[in-house]
Every structure is written in C-alpha cells, then in structure tokens.
C-alpha cells in the first residue's frame, strides 16, 4: 500500500467514480473538491490499482483539514485506511504539519470508531458532524 500525488489527466475520472459510488453526491461536486484541494493523494495497492484517495485543504501553519478519505467499495472494511495512515502521517510530518482535522457525520458510528482507534479525538461539533483531530507529534504510529 502506498500513496502518491494524483495525476489529474490520469486519475480524475477514477477518483470521481469512486466518490460518486460511495456518496450521494454529483460529479460536479467532487470535481470542485478536487480543484479546491491543496493536495490530492491517491491510495494505491502494491500492484498500482487505485484503492481510493484523500484530499486536504486549508493548510494553515502546521494544520490541515482533510476533506475526503474515500475508498473504493471493494476495499472498504479490509484495513486499508489503517494500512496507509502511517505513510500519510509521515508524509505530512515531513511537510511540517503537526495536526490533522476532519469531520465525520455524527451518525456514522463505524467511521467514528475507526477514527478513534487510529488516534483521532472528537473535539467538537459542526452542524451534523463531529470535528475530529489528531496531533501527529504524539502519534504512536510514526517511528
């Protein structure tokens, strides 16, 4: 499992398909998210097959807000997120990023439990979402 920067001309169609199959969202919405992201990282299996992607924006000092972490339906529930998280955290630390923020729907108990098991903490609410945070400098998964 590895992450790489996206190549718009090569990856955009696949990333949009993965997102629209996972969420009740229009293609134009995902295109806008990809365009506004500070960075889009593609999550790949060792054979190069795309398993999903993540995007973040609002890089402020040593913090980023992760907009989307999306896995293809075929790869969900197989520990993929847990597998690539250390690589992602190491990548961010090398860029001087110490904290990662995100939101998760407060009714998505499975995602909340998964993020908690990966070291994220609930630090507040925004509309129907929980705001989660992970301080990478305290992360046990980084060596």
């Amino acid at each position: 499992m590895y992450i790489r920067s996206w190549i718009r001309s090569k990856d955009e169609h696949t990333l949009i398909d993965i997102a629209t199959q996972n969420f009740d969202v229009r293609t134009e919405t995902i295109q806008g998210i990809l365009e506004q992201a500070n960075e889009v990282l593609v999550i790949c299996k060792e054979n190069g097959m795309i398993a999903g992607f993540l995007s973040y924006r609002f890089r402020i000092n040593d913090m980023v807000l992760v907009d989307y972490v999306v896995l293809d339906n075929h790869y969900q529930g197989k520990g993929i997120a847990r597998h690539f998280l250390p690589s992602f955290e190491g990548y961010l630390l090398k860029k001087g990023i110490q904290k990662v923020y995100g939101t998760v729907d407060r009714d998505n108990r499975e995602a909340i439990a998964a993020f908690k098991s990966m070291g994220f903490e609930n630090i507040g609410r925004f509309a129907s979402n929980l705001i989660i945070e992970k301080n990478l400098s305290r992360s046990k998964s980084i060596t």
Side-chain angles (χ1 to χ4, degrees):
M1 186 70 46
Y2 65 94
I3 57 175
R4 65 169 172 79
S5 293
W6 80 313
I7 303 165
R8 172 174 254 144
S9 62
K10 178 181 173 186
D11 301 324
E12 183 174 34
H13 182 71
T14 302
L15 302 186
I16 290 171
D17 283 349
I18 290 171
T20 57
Q21 290 171 13
N22 279 275
F23 301 108
D24 184 22
V25 64
R26 298 177 345 169
T27 296
E28 295 80 15
T29 302
I30 299 302
Q31 285 173 321
I33 288 165
L34 294 172
E35 288 172 13
Q36 294 174 9
N38 284 64
E39 188 164 24
V40 177
L41 298 171
V42 178
I43 304 161
C44 297
K45 298 281 287 172
E46 295 306 325
N47 63 5
M49 293 293 294
I50 296 175
F53 73 94
L54 63 87
S55 66
Y56 68 83
R57 60 186 169 121
F58 300 129
R59 180 178 176 173
I60 303 169
N61 298 325
D62 66 346
M63 305 177 297
V64 294
L65 172 67
V66 174
D67 284 320
Y68 272 91
V69 178
V70 184
L71 292 175
D72 186 286
N73 291 328
H74 298 100
Y75 298 110
Q76 292 181 11
K78 298 183 188 315
I80 300 291
R82 188 173 312 284
H83 224 81
F84 80 80
L85 186 63
S87 296
F88 178 56
E89 290 178 359
Y91 177 82
L92 293 177
L93 283 168
K94 286 178 186 174
K95 292 181 137 213
I97 296 168
Q98 297 293 313
K99 291 185 181 180
V100 177
Y101 291 89
T103 60
V104 62
D105 187 295
R106 69 176 175 223
D107 294 329
N108 190 342
R109 299 204 184 283
E110 186 176 310
I112 293 166
F115 283 117
K116 184 175 182 180
S117 74
M118 291 184 274
F120 285 83
E121 299 175 16
N122 175 5
I123 61 165
R125 287 187 167 188
F126 177 74
S128 66
N129 294 310
L130 298 178
I131 301 168
I132 58 173
E133 170 194 71
K134 184 168 186 179
N135 187 329
L136 300 182
S137 63
R138 291 186 275 162
S139 178
K140 294 177 185 169
S141 63
I142 302 297
T143 55

